[in-house]
Amino acid sequence: MKTFLFLSALMIGVASFLYISWLAQKMSEKERKSIALWAEATRLLTYSEGDSAEFMSFLLDIIESNTNIPVILTDSAKRIITSGNIEYPEQKKDEVLRRQLRKMVKEHLPIEIHVSPHETQYLYYRDSDILQKLKYFPVIQIAIIALFVFISYLTYNSSQKAEQNRVWAGMSKETAHQLGTPVSSLMAWSELLKTENIDPALLTELDKDIIHLNKIVERFSKIGSIPELSMGDLKTVVLQTVAYLKKRTSPKIMFTTEIEQDKQYMVPHNPTLLEWVIENLCKNAVDAIDGQGTITLRLTRTDELLLLDIADTGRGIPKSQFRTIFRPGFTTKKRGWGLGLSLAKRIIENYHRGKIFLKQSEPGKGSTFRIILPTV
């Protein structure tokens, strides 16, 4: 659709430009012929003797018929003899006519009027107002077409995004609804198992997973609605997410954090949604690491911004994919819908007014994603 709009506008613009240019050229030729006829009529009227009254009247009609083409008649020394179709205040007549003559000299070659073997006058002229406006018309038309295409493009993109938003919101809420029943059942089974002779440590981990499932349900239920942001320490969210993932990831993958423990990283955020983003980036990092490696989470802050870097020692991302990794449907896995990074971008940029991007990546050495959040 975007290509069609662009090509259509281009074809219309080029066709219009060529046609108007051809039309302007024809009008320019016609105007020059009219001026040439005007010049000849002037010569005959001025220097003809003994002609009939009817012929003299015809010559006067030719001269008076020019009501829209500005003209200036000069002698061989470029002294102005007379002018036509040029408006000027009487006190500035000479100044205006000289200025107009300079323009006419640049615009068209003069028409010579040989009034006698020893005297030649020159008739200068410029395009009529109608012809001048006609020459600018293609530019104006192309600008209008470009504006139309631009507005159409924005409307098309807006409608596409709105449709995507409705699909995502509906899918997310339906997922939350479907997960609600099995999660409730798991909670009941957990309470029942506590009455049996089962290792309490296992039940504790089971409860943690149930709590995590409840968080996932809450995350999906928030898609499509504006989440509430509250001021809190992002360090808590990062450390809790890392602690949860450590016990559910291969021991060959090390999680490290570079966070000053005596420092607060206060920022307005929704903990449930930010946990989702951090967890998603960490799981992607785990998938990118072949067997053994390290995932590092680094928190830094400035006066107005908080920076969270999540780096891994995985296989890296090719430069050709830098611009596509955040698009819905992009995935390098055999399973999955490719919505993780797209949803992460939505959560950070739409809900938290921040930015998320691939800071750096090198094949075989790993990748670093950066999240930037405003502190106020």
Side-chain angles (χ1 to χ4, degrees):
M1 177 62 73
K2 288 183 281 188
T3 304
F4 173 76
L5 285 172
F6 174 77
L7 291 177
S8 298
L10 184 63
M11 290 175 64
I12 293 171
V14 170
S16 174
F17 179 79
L18 293 175
Y19 175 72
I20 298 299
S21 297
W22 173 83
L23 190 61
Q25 180 64 29
K26 291 297 180 182
M27 286 188 64
S28 180
E29 292 173 1
K30 185 177 179 181
E31 286 190 355
R32 184 169 181 84
K33 289 179 181 178
S34 298
I35 292 301
L37 183 61
W38 189 93
E40 182 63 15
T42 301
R43 185 184 71 81
L44 292 173
L45 184 63
T46 305
Y47 297 97
S48 294
E49 295 180 359
D51 293 306
S52 66
E54 184 178 348
F55 181 66
M56 298 296 288
S57 176
F58 173 68
L59 294 178
L60 284 171
D61 287 344
I62 292 175
I63 294 173
E64 291 174 357
S65 67
N66 175 34
T67 59
N68 59 352
I69 304 174
V71 295
I72 294 179
L73 182 65
T74 72
D75 60 17
S76 56
K78 286 191 178 181
R79 290 188 291 265
I80 297 175
I81 299 172
T82 186
S83 63
N85 302 320
I86 299 175
E87 294 182 0
Y88 50 82
E90 194 59 36
Q91 64 272 23
K92 292 187 176 181
K93 175 181 177 180
D94 292 339
E95 179 186 344
V96 172
L97 291 181
R98 282 292 170 189
R99 186 168 61 248
Q100 289 294 322
L101 181 59
R102 286 193 294 271
K103 291 181 180 179
M104 292 176 181
V105 169
K106 295 178 182 179
E107 199 166 317
H108 295 292
L109 291 173
I111 295 173
E112 296 180 0
I113 304 176
H114 300 286
V115 296
S116 71
H118 305 291
E119 184 179 357
T120 301
Q121 294 178 351
Y122 296 92
L123 183 63
Y124 292 90
Y125 72 100
R126 62 178 174 83
D127 295 334
S128 63
D129 290 340
I130 295 175
L131 182 55
Q132 286 182 335
K133 291 175 181 177
L134 187 63
K135 287 181 177 179
Y136 289 114
F137 180 75
V139 177
I140 297 171
Q141 189 176 35
I142 289 173
I144 292 172
I145 292 172
L147 179 63
F148 168 75
V149 172
F150 178 69
I151 293 173
S152 300
Y153 174 78
L154 291 180
T155 303
Y156 176 76
N157 267 11
S158 178
S159 63
Q160 265 199 330
K161 288 181 179 178
E163 181 64 26
Q164 285 180 353
N165 289 343
R166 286 193 293 270
V167 171
W168 283 17
M171 182 185 68
S172 300
K173 292 183 184 300
E174 179 62 22
T175 302
H177 176 72
Q178 294 294 336
L179 285 173
T181 301
V183 170
S184 298
S185 297
L186 285 173
M187 293 174 65
W189 280 108
S190 175
E191 293 300 319
L192 180 61
L193 289 173
K194 288 176 183 178
T195 63
E196 304 293 331
N197 188 20
I198 296 176
D199 186 353
L202 294 177
L203 292 176
T204 299
E205 291 303 318
L206 177 61
D207 284 341
K208 287 182 180 179
D209 283 334
I210 293 173
I211 292 171
H212 191 69
L213 281 172
N214 269 320
K215 286 183 179 180
I216 292 174
V217 172
E218 185 180 356
R219 293 168 184 171
F220 276 110
S221 67
K222 289 182 182 294
I223 298 298
S225 57
I226 300 176
E228 294 182 4
L229 305 183
S230 58
M231 186 65 72
D233 193 347
L234 190 61
K235 173 177 62 179
T236 303
V237 177
V238 173
L239 294 178
Q240 286 179 351
T241 305
V242 170
Y244 176 81
L245 291 173
K246 274 184 178 180
K247 293 184 178 180
R248 290 154 181 82
T249 308
S250 168
K252 294 182 179 180
I253 296 177
M254 301 294 295
F255 282 86
T256 63
T257 55
E258 296 180 7
I259 303 173
E260 296 182 34
Q261 296 302 318
D262 58 345
K263 191 174 182 180
Q264 288 188 323
Y265 299 86
M266 304 299 291
V267 64
H269 68 286
N270 183 285
T272 303
L273 292 180
L274 274 188
E275 280 181 12
W276 188 356
V277 173
I278 297 169
E279 183 181 320
N280 186 273
L281 292 175
C282 288
K283 286 182 176 179
N284 285 346
V286 171
D287 292 335
I289 294 173
D290 296 324
Q292 185 172 344
T294 304
I295 299 173
T296 303
L297 292 88
R298 185 182 305 108
L299 264 178
T300 54
R301 68 169 300 159
T302 64
D303 291 338
E304 298 180 354
L305 298 174
L306 189 146
L307 311 178
L308 171 61
D309 290 340
I310 300 178
D312 65 69
T313 56
R315 56 180 173 270
I317 300 172
K319 286 187 177 180
S320 60
Q321 296 178 354
F322 278 20
R323 293 185 178 182
T324 58
I325 56 175
F326 288 101
R327 292 180 184 173
F330 175 85
T331 181
T332 57
K333 306 172 188 177
K334 293 182 179 179
R335 294 185 300 173
W337 292 352
L339 296 178
L341 286 177
S342 179
L343 285 171
K345 185 178 181 69
R346 181 187 181 91
I347 290 168
I348 296 298
E349 297 187 356
N350 291 10
Y351 296 158
H352 289 81
R353 298 180 295 109
K355 290 185 179 179
I356 179 172
F357 56 92
L358 181 61
K359 181 184 176 185
Q360 62 184 37
S361 184
E362 188 174 346
K365 292 188 178 180
S367 304
T368 301
F369 282 86
R370 168 162 285 185
I371 297 172
I372 302 177
L373 297 174
T375 57
V376 291

